[in-house]
Amino acid sequence: MEKITPIIVGANGWLGQSAQYLIKNQTSFKSPIIFGSVENTNNQFGHIVHPLTMAKEIFSSRTEGNRYIILNFSYLTKDKVSNHHPDKYAQSIITMNSLIADLVAKTKPLSFLFMSSGAATLVEKGQIIAKDMELYGRQKLSDELAFNEICQQFNVKYLAPRLFNIGGPFINKLRLYAISNFILQGLETGSITVKAPNFVYRSYCHVYDLLNVLLCEMGDEELLPVTPTFEVGGDEVVEMADLAEHVATALLIPPQNIYRPVFDDQLAADYYLADNRDFNKLASKHKITKTALPNIIQDTVKYLQAQKNS
């Protein structure tokens, strides 16, 4: 049977780079076709990164006999929401999604992945969240429905996992994510300061576990055995103080070098946790063992140390 050609949209981000790394080391895939916001004639994986506006030209004569999957990681992340007026933010998404819809229509892939967010679950449940997070979550819900309709129209298998928290190689926005923030603090100062004044609970999935499960399921022509909007996170819940201790252990930092200058246990706790039951079903189906938190942290540390030394 003809090998599958992955199409990656949003190739320059954390997930896009991780996907390229994994695909490069698997024999079941052809070399991927790459789209990103920043053109590159030869990125670190040896791929040409095209602007999405070139998709129509690229696929004008390539679809006959090809088997495609589309991994769509292209979106304006929640840290960018506050920089846009709501109407402008929505219009930017609509423009991008229109190009991706055209790509689905042209290639008629075996499967299509839209990477959604746990923010969609929070909005769906009516939980009180920050204004920018609410806008981001509402947009994700709208996108989930739009891409579902497109995939139904062309009989394409559809996955829209709601991602909560991940760790591992190719992590970016290093000051924004707690796991990389703590690691950078440890590498730079030999200490870690937890700034959250309240209890904050998270759980982490290894980025490679996430993508290996998705790639296996996308290449499987059977019907998706779970809801398309399954949630993804880790199985071990940690409070930020515990996460800091895990990072300190990985960096050989003594526990007395962990600080939390402002803390009030009477403040409302912050929970951002996935219901992993459907994702775990898929991992079990494809015989993928999820990585434990200490190993996720260790892999993230190794990557950031290598980046610092390069």
Side-chain angles (χ1 to χ4, degrees), residues 233-251:
D235 295 322
E236 180 180 347
V237 176
V238 288
E239 206 282 318
M240 288 301 99
D242 302 320
L243 181 64
E245 288 182 9
H246 278 294
V247 171
T249 298
L251 294 174

Side-chain angles (χ1 to χ4, degrees), residues 214-270:
L214 294 177
L215 288 168
C216 286
E217 186 60 32
M218 293 180 75
D220 187 337
E221 297 188 33
E222 294 181 359
L223 293 175
L224 183 68
V226 298
T227 176
T229 55
F230 57 91
E231 298 177 9
V232 180
D235 295 322
E236 180 180 347
V237 176
V238 288
E239 206 282 318
M240 288 301 99
D242 302 320
L243 181 64
E245 288 182 9
H246 278 294
V247 171
T249 298
L251 294 174
L252 304 179
I253 293 172
Q256 60 267 29
N257 286 14
I258 300 173
Y259 305 100
R260 197 168 198 167
V262 180
F263 181 72
D264 182 353
D265 62 6
Q266 298 304 305
L267 293 174
D270 179 337

Side-chain angles (χ1 to χ4, degrees), residues 158-174:
Y158 176 56
L159 295 82
R162 293 177 176 178
L163 184 57
F164 281 70
N165 292 288
I166 55 173
F170 303 102
I171 188 170
N172 57 4
K173 300 176 185 173
L174 305 181

Side-chain angles (χ1 to χ4, degrees), residues 7-254:
I7 301 169
I8 302 176
V9 183
N12 299 318
W14 183 359
L15 292 170
Q17 291 186 73
S18 297
Q20 288 176 80
Y21 173 81
L22 291 177
I23 289 167
K24 189 179 180 71
N25 291 283
Q26 294 187 20
T27 59
S28 56
F29 296 107
K30 289 184 176 181
S31 181
I33 300 169
I34 306 297
F35 296 97
S37 57
V38 179
E39 290 184 65
N40 193 333
T41 56
N42 187 23
N43 71 6
Q44 62 179 308
F45 305 102
H47 301 142
I48 298 172
V49 181
H50 307 282
L52 192 55
T53 50
M54 284 186 62
K56 190 172 183 179
E57 176 184 342
I58 289 169
F59 289 101
S60 60
S61 60
R62 292 187 62 152
T63 59
E64 193 69 32
N66 284 306
R67 301 170 72 233
Y68 296 107
I69 59 173
I70 297 177
L71 297 90
N72 176 22
F73 304 128
S74 180
Y75 50 84
L76 294 177
T77 50
K78 59 179 175 286
D79 58 297
K80 296 180 181 177
V81 174
S82 58
N83 297 328
H84 292 74
H85 185 278
D87 292 341
K88 186 176 180 181
Y89 177 75
Q91 186 56 53
S92 298
I93 298 291
I94 290 169
T95 300
M96 191 159 50
N97 287 355
S98 177
L99 292 170
I100 295 168
D102 290 343
L103 184 61
V104 174
K106 180 63 178 175
T107 61
K108 298 179 177 60
L110 298 172
S111 54
F112 175 86
L113 168 70
F114 168 64
M115 189 58 71
S116 190
S117 167
T121 295
L122 299 187
V123 171
E124 196 172 59
K125 290 180 176 179
Q127 296 186 15
I128 299 173
I129 51 178
K131 187 175 180 180
D132 57 349
M133 186 75 152
E134 181 180 11
L135 174 60
Y136 181 69
R138 289 192 182 283
Q139 186 61 57
K140 284 294 186 182
L141 285 173
S142 175
D143 294 344
E144 287 174 2
L145 291 172
F147 284 122
N148 185 45
E149 289 178 4
I150 293 164
C151 288
Q152 285 185 342
Q153 180 182 350
F154 294 101
N155 196 29
V156 173
K157 185 175 184 177
Y158 176 56
L159 295 82
R162 293 177 176 178
L163 184 57
F164 281 70
N165 292 288
I166 55 173
F170 303 102
I171 188 170
N172 57 4
K173 300 176 185 173
L174 305 181
R175 302 293 178 184
L176 181 64
Y177 300 120
I179 193 168
S180 51
N181 188 307
F182 288 173
I183 292 169
L184 285 187
Q185 287 188 55
L187 291 173
E188 293 168 358
T189 69
S191 65
I192 299 171
T193 298
V194 181
K195 294 182 178 180
N198 57 327
F199 286 117
V200 176
Y201 295 94
R202 299 291 186 266
S203 65
Y204 292 86
C205 178
H206 197 296
V207 64
Y208 290 169
D209 295 346
L210 165 68
L211 291 171
N212 278 324
V213 169
L214 294 177
L215 288 168
C216 286
E217 186 60 32
M218 293 180 75
D220 187 337
E221 297 188 33
E222 294 181 359
L223 293 175
L224 183 68
V226 298
T227 176
T229 55
F230 57 91
E231 298 177 9
V232 180
D235 295 322
E236 180 180 347
V237 176
V238 288
E239 206 282 318
M240 288 301 99
D242 302 320
L243 181 64
E245 288 182 9
H246 278 294
V247 171
T249 298
L251 294 174
L252 304 179
I253 293 172

